[in-house]
C-alpha cells in the first residue's frame, strides 16, 4: 500500500501519517519527490485497512501496489534517485556519469596507489577494489582484509576519490561500513538475505550486483530487501549473467538497463569487466552501456594485469582506461549525460577505433 500525500502537505502531516502507520504495527517509508511525498507501507502480511489512513490531513489517496517490489518501484517514487557524496560533485543517478575504476583486489599499497593515480587522472571519481574477495577456490587470494580497507582509505585521502569495496558477509560488513563510501554486495551474495538486511541498516549507499542467474524481478526484490530496512541509497549493477555462450565469461545483459529504468527509480551501473571477462571487450561494451542509458560504469584496471592476483584477464591497462574515458566523453552528450572528473579531454575518432591498441594480448 502506498499513501500519496497532497502536493502541499506539510512535514507534520507526513510525520503524523508515518506515526499512524507505525502504530498499526507496519513500517512507514516516506519518499519525498518533486511533486509530492509518497509513503510506502511494508511489514504487512495482508491488506492494509485503508479507512484510518484515508481520513488523515494531507492525504490525497491510497494506492495498492500490485508489484512484489514496492519501495524500489517507480510507483512509489517517480523521479530518479540521485545519490550524492558531500564535498564532491560526484553523484550516482544524476546527469553526470558515475565512473568507478580500480583493481579487482587490493594487493598492496604500491599497487593500489599506482592504479588510483592513473584512474583518477583519467577522470574516475570512485576507486574500486576488493579487500574481501569471494573466490571460487578457497586456495585463491582472499583479499587483504582490513589492511586492504586501510589502503583504500589512504587512496581517498590522497586523491579525493570515493571508495567502493565489497562486504562478503555480516562480519566483513561491520568493518567495510567504517571505511567505504559505497558498500558493494557481490553477485554471489545477491540473495544472501541476512546480508541484504544488514546492509539495509547501514547509512552508506549499497552497490548491489545482479546475481549470475537472477531475473530482473529477483534483482529488484534483492534491492527491496535493503530498502525495506530503511536504506534507500541502493545502486543496481548489471555484471553479466551466465548463459550457454562461451566467447565471454558472462553475457552482459544491457537490455536490463532500460528495463530497470522503466520499473525503478534506482540508478543502474554496468560492469563490463565481469560482464565480459575479456580485456578487449571492456571498452566496446562500456560505450554500449553509456549509449543504452546506464548511470555509470565500474571497470577493473591494473598496472600489471599479468601479475594480478585476481581477474587479470579482464583488467584494463591504465592507458586503455584513459582511452575508454575519452570515448565515453564523446558518447555521453549524445544521451544527455556529462562526465565529471578532472581527466584531460582527449578526442578520439570512434569510426576508426573499433579495437584500439592493447599493450598486450588478453
Ligand atoms: C568484483 O567486483 O570484483 C566482483 C567479485 O564482482 P561480482 O560479484 O560481480 O562477480
Ligand atoms: Mn573482479
Amino acid at each position: 500500500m502506498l499513501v500519496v500525500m497532497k502536493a502541499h502537505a506539510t512535514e507534520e502531516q507526513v510525520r503524523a501519517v508515518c506515526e499512524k502507520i507505525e502504530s498499526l504495527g507496519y513500517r512507514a517509508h516516506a519518499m519525498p519527490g518533486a511533486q509530492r511525498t509518497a509513503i510506502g507501507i511494508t511489514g504487512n502480511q495482508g491488506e492494509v485497512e485503508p479507512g484510518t489512513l484515508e481520513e488523515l490531513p494531507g492525504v490525497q489517496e491510497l494506492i495498492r501496489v500490485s508489484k512484489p517490489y514496492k519501495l524500489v518501484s517507480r510507483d512509489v517514487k517517480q523521479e530518479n534517485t540521485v545519490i550524492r557524496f558531500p564535498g564532491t560533485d560526484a553523484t550516482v543517478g544524476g546527469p553526470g556519469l558515475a565512473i568507478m575504476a580500480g583493481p579487482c583486489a587490493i594487493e598492496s599499497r604500491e599497487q593500489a596507489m599506482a592504479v588510483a593515480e592513473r584512474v583518477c587522472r583519467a577522470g574516475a571519481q570512485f576507486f574500486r577494489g576488493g579487500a574481501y574477495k569471494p573466490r571460487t577456490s578457497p586456495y585463491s587470494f582472499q583479499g587483504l582484509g582490513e589492511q586492504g580497507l586501510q589502503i583504500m582509505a589512504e587512496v581517498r585521502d590522497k586523491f579525493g576519490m570515493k571508495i567502493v569495496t565489497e562486504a562478503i558477509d555480516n562480519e566483513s560488513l561491520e568493518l567495510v561500513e567504517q571505511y567505504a563510501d559505497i558498500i558493494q554486495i557481490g553477485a554471489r551474495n545477491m540473495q544472501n538475505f541476512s546480508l541484504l538486511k544488514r546492509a539495509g541498516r547501514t547509512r552508506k549507499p549499497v552497490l548491489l550486483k545482479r546475481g549470475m542467474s537472477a531475473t530482473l524481478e529477483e534483482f529488484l526484490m534483492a534491492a527491496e530487501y535493503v530498502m525495506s530496512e530503511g536504506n534507500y541509497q541502493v545502486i543496481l549493477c548489471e555484471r553479466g549473467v551466465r548463459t550457454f555462450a562461451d566467447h565471454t565469461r558472462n553475457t552482459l545483459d544491457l537490455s536490463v538497463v532500460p528495463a530497470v529504468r522503466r520499473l525503478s527509480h534506482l540508478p543502474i551501473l554496468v560492469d563490463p569487466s565481469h560482464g565480459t571477462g575479456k580485456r578487449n571487450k571492456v571498452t566496446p561494451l562500456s560505450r554500449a552501456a553509456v549509449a543504452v542509458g546506464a548511470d555509470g560504469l565500474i571497470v577493473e584496471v591494473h598496472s600489471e594485469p599479468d601479475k594480478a592476483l585476481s581477474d587479470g584477464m579482464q583488467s584494463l591497462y591504465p592507458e586503455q582506461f584513459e582511452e575508454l574515458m575519452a570515448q565515453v566523453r564523446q558518447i555521453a552528450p549524445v544521451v544527455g549525460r556529462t562526465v565529471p572528473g578532472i581527466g584531460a579531454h582527449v578526442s578520439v575518432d570512434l569510426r576508426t577505433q573499433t579495437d584500439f591498441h592493447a599493450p598486450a594480448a588478453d
Side-chain angles (χ1 to χ4, degrees):
M1 184 74 79
L2 180 64
V3 182
V4 180
M5 300 298 290
K6 291 184 178 147
H8 301 295
T10 64
E11 272 182 38
E12 287 84 79
Q13 288 172 336
V14 172
R15 202 170 322 122
V17 173
C18 290
E19 280 167 12
K20 181 72 197 171
I21 293 167
E22 307 265 343
S23 78
L24 294 170
Y26 309 133
R27 188 153 183 175
H29 305 264
M31 314 281 267
Q35 308 297 329
R36 41 84 168 157
T37 292
I39 306 169
I41 304 176
T42 60
N44 53 307
Q45 297 305 324
E47 290 269 302
V48 175
E49 174 53 53
T52 41
L53 297 170
E54 232 157 23
E55 304 307 322
L56 293 178
V59 172
Q60 171 142 331
E61 60 175 331
L62 267 67
I63 300 176
R64 262 199 77 234
V65 182
S66 52
K67 301 191 183 80
Y69 43 87
K70 303 187 189 303
L71 304 175
V72 160
S73 167
R74 268 209 200 272
D75 296 344
V76 171
K77 184 164 177 271
Q78 279 145 23
E79 301 82 18
N80 293 337
T81 286
V82 181
I83 298 171
R84 296 175 199 283
F85 299 86
T88 66
D89 65 347
T91 60
V92 183
L97 293 174
I99 307 292
M100 309 182 178
C104 177
I106 303 298
E107 299 167 6
S108 69
R109 199 175 166 279
E110 295 63 39
Q111 171 247 19
M113 290 294 164
V115 179
E117 184 176 358
R118 296 293 295 271
V119 299
C120 181
R121 266 204 280 138
Q125 291 181 302
F126 300 85
F127 183 66
R128 65 142 290 148
Y132 297 91
K133 295 305 302 175
R135 303 304 300 279
T136 302
S137 165
Y139 309 118
S140 300
F141 178 59
Q142 304 284 309
L144 295 180
E146 187 167 11
Q147 195 198 340
L149 298 175
Q150 283 162 353
I151 294 169
M152 293 204 87
E154 274 187 60
V155 166
R156 174 176 45 216
D157 291 347
K158 183 152 186 214
F159 299 101
M161 280 186 283
K162 298 292 168 192
I163 61 176
V164 186
T165 193
E166 179 167 353
I168 53 170
D169 48 28
N170 289 1
E171 197 185 329
S172 54
L173 198 142
E174 295 290 329
L175 274 173
V176 166
E177 71 180 339
Q178 292 170 36
Y179 289 90
D181 297 297
I182 300 179
I183 302 167
Q184 180 173 321
I185 305 273
R188 291 157 192 80
N189 268 321
M190 191 207 80
Q191 284 188 319
N192 180 339
F193 301 117
S194 82
L195 183 60
L196 296 175
K197 285 193 205 166
R198 175 65 185 80
R201 294 193 291 273
T202 168
R203 297 248 156 266
K204 300 279 172 77
V206 171
L207 183 131
L208 177 65
K209 292 190 137 192
R210 181 180 179 185
M212 332 193 162
S213 61
T215 63
L216 173 53
E217 187 168 303
E218 287 164 342
F219 190 18
L220 295 177
M221 289 308 285
E224 185 80 16
Y225 259 93
V226 179
M227 294 184 78
S228 70
E229 292 292 325
N231 186 353
Y232 307 134
Q233 303 198 86
V234 180
I235 302 159
L236 301 170
C237 179
E238 161 62 28
R239 47 78 73 207
V241 289
R242 192 165 279 180
T243 68
F244 53 81
D246 58 4
H247 61 286
T248 50
R249 179 178 177 186
N250 293 293
T251 297
L252 190 64
D253 176 17
L254 290 180
S255 71
V256 87
V257 174
V260 162
R261 294 204 149 285
R262 209 180 143 91
L263 298 173
S264 177
H265 53 87
L266 294 176
I268 174 143
L269 305 183
V270 168
D271 173 348
S273 307
H274 296 87
T276 65
K278 304 240 165 102
R279 186 178 305 135
N280 64 11
K281 297 185 175 51
V282 170
T283 298
L285 270 300
S286 297
R287 296 197 297 257
V290 172
V292 84
D295 292 297
L297 302 169
I298 178 162
V299 181
E300 289 185 341
V301 180
H302 199 291
S303 311
E304 294 175 290
D306 296 344
K307 298 195 183 133
L309 298 181
S310 67
D311 287 349
M313 300 264 279
Q314 66 196 34
S315 298
L316 295 185
Y317 287 85
E319 46 271 46
Q320 291 181 303
F321 179 70
E322 285 158 14
E323 189 92 23
L324 179 157
M325 288 299 289
Q327 299 192 17
V328 161
R329 280 195 185 87
Q330 290 191 37
I331 292 176
V334 178
V335 287
R337 309 301 288 252
T338 57
V339 186
I342 50 172
H345 193 111
V346 187
S347 182
V348 179
D349 186 346
L350 294 177
R351 288 163 306 180
T352 58
Q353 297 270 332
T354 46
D355 226 329
F356 48 93
H357 62 83
D362 287 347

